[in-house]
Amino acid sequence: PGEVARVLQHSQFRPGAPAFTTLIKTCGRAGGWDKAVELYQAMKQRGVAANTITCSALINACGKSKQWEKALEIFREMKADGVEANIFTYSALISACAKGRQLDKALGIFRECQAAGVEPDAITYGAVISACEKGRRCDDALDVYKQMRRAGVDANVITCNSVLAACDKAGRCDDALAVFESMRDEGIKPDKHSYAAVIGACAAGGKVDEAMRLYRAGTKAVDPDIGMYTAAMQACAAANGSNGTVDGSNGPKGS
């Protein structure tokens, strides 16, 4: 038996499912995914029935340590045991796959979630969009973002930034501008990452004047960082490459 099992074997402590869940969450926060798995196995060996909350906590613990294969294994095991998955389970599993850069698996879990009649929430949508951004799948990121809006689920600046970053990587200027405008329409305040991504997308898409207009607006709205400066410099380089000119007023420091 593992270390956890030995400790429990010689202890007067007889935890039930809630106590095991708390211990699993504690291990997950500390990066001890392997100890979390040992706890889960000890729990089952003691005849304590696993429940949705416990399994979700374990999947989350594995995901935090990028153990996506173990997270999927636990998911399959809980389904075989007749334990029902809820939105927290699916979100944790999607996030685990995203951290492991398993984009197709993350999208597959997302579709399975919808097929099971479990309504995705903001965390679920955010995890899927983040996975799409990391996998450079701009079309998928935009598609899921549109699904999110149609479902009436509120996005936050982090999710919007993931969509913008996907557009930036793909050089999708018009899509980035549309997402940026939708943020304003919905009262989501763009941050420095929002500006950097939309400026970068415009620069890559050849809309240099628009990129610099956004840069100037961004310097008044947020505290610029290296990301914004880099995106602005890309716009300047694009203008020079096309023999164009660009208004550099309020341009990057050091220019």
Side-chain angles (χ1 to χ4, degrees), residues 95-119:
S95 181
C97 291
K99 285 185 173 72
R101 297 193 177 276
Q102 301 297 312
L103 175 57
D104 289 333
K105 286 184 171 60
L107 287 170
I109 295 297
F110 178 62
R111 296 188 189 103
E112 183 177 334
C113 169
Q114 293 175 306
V118 179
E119 291 293 328

Side-chain angles (χ1 to χ4, degrees), residues 69-120:
E69 290 174 302
K70 179 59 71 172
L72 280 170
E73 181 184 319
I74 298 300
F75 180 69
R76 288 192 291 267
E77 189 175 321
M78 70 179 281
K79 290 183 73 178
D81 290 343
V83 179
E84 186 176 346
N86 64 13
I87 192 57
F88 301 107
T89 317
Y90 285 111
S91 295
L93 187 57
I94 290 167
S95 181
C97 291
K99 285 185 173 72
R101 297 193 177 276
Q102 301 297 312
L103 175 57
D104 289 333
K105 286 184 171 60
L107 287 170
I109 295 297
F110 178 62
R111 296 188 189 103
E112 183 177 334
C113 169
Q114 293 175 306
V118 179
E119 291 293 328

Side-chain angles (χ1 to χ4, degrees), residues 121-145:
D121 62 8
I123 295 173
T124 316
Y125 280 113
V128 178
I129 290 170
S130 176
C132 293
E133 183 264 318
K134 287 181 174 67
R136 294 180 176 270
R137 297 271 280 272
C138 185
D139 285 332
D140 287 322
L142 287 165
D143 181 54
V144 175
Y145 178 65

Side-chain angles (χ1 to χ4, degrees), residues 199-230:
I199 291 166
C202 287
K207 293 194 174 182
V208 177
D209 289 341
E210 184 68 12
M212 295 310 296
R213 182 191 70 77
L214 286 162
Y215 173 76
R216 290 190 293 273
T219 59
K220 297 173 184 176
V222 300
D223 184 19
D225 68 352
I226 188 63
M228 278 183 64
Y229 292 139
T230 300

